[in-house]
Amino acid sequence: QVQLVESGGGLVQPGGSLRLSCAASGSIASINIMGWYRQAPGMERELVARIFSGGTTVYADSVKGRFTISRDNGKNIIALQMNNLRPEDTAVYYCNGVVRGLPYFSWGQGTQVTVST
């Protein structure tokens, strides 16, 4: 079973940037869609960015124009560049495969992103 390890979170001021990374212990090349999810306190986990194996990307309206997802199948890494961060982006961020609309792998520990002055 592939394990996912997210990193790169931290505390940042509004308007700042962070780059998250997700390292998979096995190959993700066969997973057509990889995504980044986030879960804010008291909220359900939501999918905010997806990338298809061909490179097509899809974003939630709340992050469109500010976040950029990328994947490196050779290194089994998924990244999320987050710019112009807002307090409402505060959440624990997770990566996972998306198969038939559902997360595919077991969840990693996530990485905390806090946007605050």
Side-chain angles (χ1 to χ4, degrees):
Q1 173 70 297
V2 171
Q3 294 184 333
L4 304 169
V5 179
E6 299 90 351
S7 62
L11 174 63
V12 64
Q13 292 186 345
S17 298
L18 284 174
R19 183 175 179 83
L20 307 184
S21 183
C22 170
S25 63
S27 176
I28 60 170
S30 64
I31 305 299
N32 184 35
I33 306 172
M34 292 296 298
W36 279 95
Y37 297 74
R38 68 184 181 188
Q39 186 168 22
M43 304 291 286
E44 291 189 357
R45 199 168 302 189
E46 62 171 338
L47 179 62
V48 297
R50 287 173 281 164
I51 184 166
F52 291 72
S53 56
T56 299
T57 56
V58 179
Y59 299 94
D61 287 344
S62 57
V63 307
K64 196 175 296 182
R66 300 187 297 121
F67 289 12
T68 303
I69 187 172
S70 60
R71 68 190 287 173
D72 185 333
N73 287 339
K75 296 181 179 178
N76 298 315
I77 291 175
I78 307 296
L80 186 68
Q81 177 67 41
M82 305 187 298
N83 298 327
N84 191 21
L85 283 160
R86 304 168 179 170
E88 54 264 40
D89 295 319
T90 295
V92 180
Y93 284 71
Y94 304 86
C95 70
N96 212 321
V98 184
V99 178
R100 297 185 183 90
L102 297 174
Y104 186 70
F105 300 112
S106 297
W107 293 104
Q109 84 289 349
T111 186
Q112 174 71 48
V113 171
T114 302
V115 185
S116 175
T117 56

